[in-house]
Amino acid sequence: MSEWIEPALIAEVRDHLLENPGPVTASAVATAVQRTGRVLGAGALLELVSRISAQLAGAGPIQPILDAPGTTDVFVNGPRDIWADRGAGLEPVPISLGTESDVRALAVRLAGLGGRRLDDSSPLVDVRLPDGVRLNAVIPPLSGDTTVLSFRVPRASGFRLDELLADGFVPAPAHELLLEVLARRANFLISGGTGSGKTVLLGALLSEVAADQRLLVVEDSRELLISHPHVVQLAARQSNVEGVGEVAMTDLVRNALRMRPDRLVVGECRGAEVRDMLTALNTGHEGGCATIHANTAQAVTARLEALGALAGMSPAAVRSQMATAIDLVIHVRREGNTRGIAQIAVPAADRDTRIEMLPVWDAGDGFSEAGVTAVRRLLEQRAAT
């Protein structure tokens, strides 16, 4: 049976060990206890060593949940308000992280493992941990009274297109069309909301690309899993604790173009890098692709216009670039625990450079004859060049 130990003592000992890094041994813990002026028996000392080790190793009590097969996300809304998604939707996890100071100490330590600082002068952080888990942390007062943590757990390996087909994520009628889009080196965007499967689908499609093609992948944080023999992945870097060393997505996209990519891949367009991506796809870089947040395929144009404004582009300039750079938009949607392709569309510009999304395939209506004709014409043009 575990012995009761004052939370205040645990916090003091933990803070001392964080200030004096080294192995969490009985001797080190005993020294820290002695500094507090308290006295513990042998049993209580061993219990304290166990608790401190759990708090200072990995993500502490959360680590077993992150390591469990099937876990995709873990959310900490408070010391006893913890949720996990193990593939069947969010469910509460009956564990305790102690006190708010314990949760904050965990967040600060994990941010440090990723080379970032989390304190009153830098109250939020988004960082990739050494084991690949992506952590977002926000501390009070921005997050109210409690520190809030969000963990995104990457898969050990990516999905293949055949797996997504068997799972129903990729509709059977559209399977051959997607393979032809890849073979003809068409440029495409995958749109959708958070957690809809954009990255999953992009990784699966890129895994089908011919082995003799060089893929240059640019991401804000490495998430794409691609089963391909020639992949170079570049990840943006935020400034360090001194406020220097930032490498932005725009810098990476420009640099990637100098690395002779057969396909330029932007993991997610979310800023001014959209200008460089559209320019590249308009200047001979075929087979390029990216993901973008949008609620529908029709909303992609407005989303690109908003991102283009961050790069100083006018809406008309964005639409003009988009009309000639993007051949296809694949929209994915999540409804409950079901994810999959909801629509495939072709951007078509009129004389006033307004963009209309011409449906090619829709989950409710199936194939559109006009849309299929348009996409076939595009693919034939790709084959001719």
Side-chain angles (χ1 to χ4, degrees):
M1 180 177 177
S2 298
E3 296 196 32
W4 187 84
I5 302 174
E6 293 179 60
L9 175 59
I10 296 175
E12 287 184 57
V13 171
R14 181 196 60 228
D15 292 344
H16 172 78
L17 294 174
L18 286 173
E19 294 170 1
N20 301 271
V24 182
T25 63
S27 175
V29 172
T31 300
V33 170
Q34 187 177 16
R35 288 173 59 90
T36 68
R38 294 175 174 85
V39 177
L40 291 181
L45 181 62
L46 290 175
E47 176 70 17
L48 183 57
V49 171
S50 176
R51 294 192 188 185
I52 294 295
S53 296
Q55 290 189 10
L56 299 184
I62 299 173
Q63 194 62 47
I65 307 171
L66 297 174
D67 293 338
T71 299
T72 60
D73 298 272
V74 176
F75 303 106
V76 178
N77 302 329
R80 295 172 182 80
D81 186 8
I82 301 161
W83 298 75
D85 189 336
R86 299 182 175 95
L90 288 173
E91 55 187 19
V93 180
I95 65 172
S96 172
L97 298 183
T99 65
E100 160 57 20
S101 63
D102 294 325
V103 179
R104 178 162 176 159
L106 174 64
V108 170
R109 181 175 61 80
L110 292 177
L113 286 177
R116 299 294 307 284
R117 182 179 67 195
L118 183 66
D119 54 29
D120 291 336
S121 63
S122 183
L124 52 87
V125 67
D126 192 89
V127 66
R128 186 172 182 266
L129 302 178
D131 61 358
V133 172
R134 186 170 178 177
L135 165 70
N136 183 280
V138 186
I139 61 175
L142 272 65
S143 57
D145 296 327
T146 62
T147 298
V148 176
L149 307 178
S150 303
F151 297 87
R152 171 66 62 88
V153 185
R155 274 175 53 94
S157 60
F159 287 96
R160 299 304 299 251
L161 197 59
D162 286 345
E163 293 180 87
L164 297 184
L165 177 65
D167 190 49
F169 187 110
V170 173
H175 181 236
E176 292 300 322
L177 175 62
L178 294 178
L179 291 177
E180 190 172 354
V181 165
L182 290 172
R184 300 299 189 191
R185 298 175 60 81
N187 300 326
F188 61 91
L189 290 180
I190 299 177
S191 63
T194 300
S196 58
K198 301 185 297 297
T199 301
V200 167
L201 178 59
L202 181 57
L205 289 173
L206 292 173
S207 296
E208 302 296 325
V209 170
D212 61 352
Q213 295 182 24
R214 174 175 164 87
L215 311 184
L216 255 296
V217 182
V218 177
E219 297 178 89
D220 183 59
S221 178
R222 285 189 61 171
E223 292 185 272
L224 271 171
L225 297 172
I226 306 168
S227 179
H228 190 277
H230 198 158
V231 181
V232 178
Q233 291 186 266
L234 308 179
R237 185 176 69 188
Q238 298 179 353
S239 56
N240 60 18
V241 293
E242 285 80 27
V244 298
E246 180 182 10
V247 180
M249 286 281 286
T250 51
D251 300 321
L252 289 181
V253 171
R254 292 172 189 170
N255 190 75
L257 296 176
R258 302 186 182 104
M259 299 172 68
R260 218 220 75 178
D262 290 311
R263 290 179 186 260
L264 173 67
V265 181
V266 180
E268 182 179 331
C269 270
R270 61 171 68 188
E273 68 275 2
V274 68
R275 175 185 56 198
D276 301 285
M277 182 198 72
L278 290 175
T279 300
L281 300 186
N282 268 306
T283 54
H285 291 276
E286 298 180 338
C289 48
T291 71
I292 188 169
H293 276 274
N295 292 329
T296 63
Q298 288 73 21
V300 168
T301 303
R303 178 65 174 158
L304 285 174
E305 289 176 354
L307 297 179
L310 300 176
M313 300 176 69
S314 68
V318 172
R319 293 194 298 270
S320 177
Q321 292 271 50
M322 177 185 175
T324 52
I326 306 301
D327 298 318
L328 204 69
V329 172
I330 305 166
H331 185 73
V332 294
R333 180 180 301 142
R334 178 171 185 167
E335 295 181 356
N337 296 327
T338 303
R339 301 186 297 177
I341 296 177
Q343 188 179 33
I344 300 174
V346 173
D350 61 19
R351 293 182 179 179
D352 298 323
T353 71
R354 289 177 299 187
I355 301 293
E356 176 189 0
M357 286 294 174
L358 186 62
V360 176
W361 182 88
D362 185 275
D365 301 327
F367 279 108
S368 161
E369 184 175 345
V372 171
T373 299
V375 76
R376 290 295 179 198
R377 187 182 303 117
L378 283 170
L379 296 178
E380 288 170 5
Q381 293 172 354
R382 288 289 183 189
T385 57

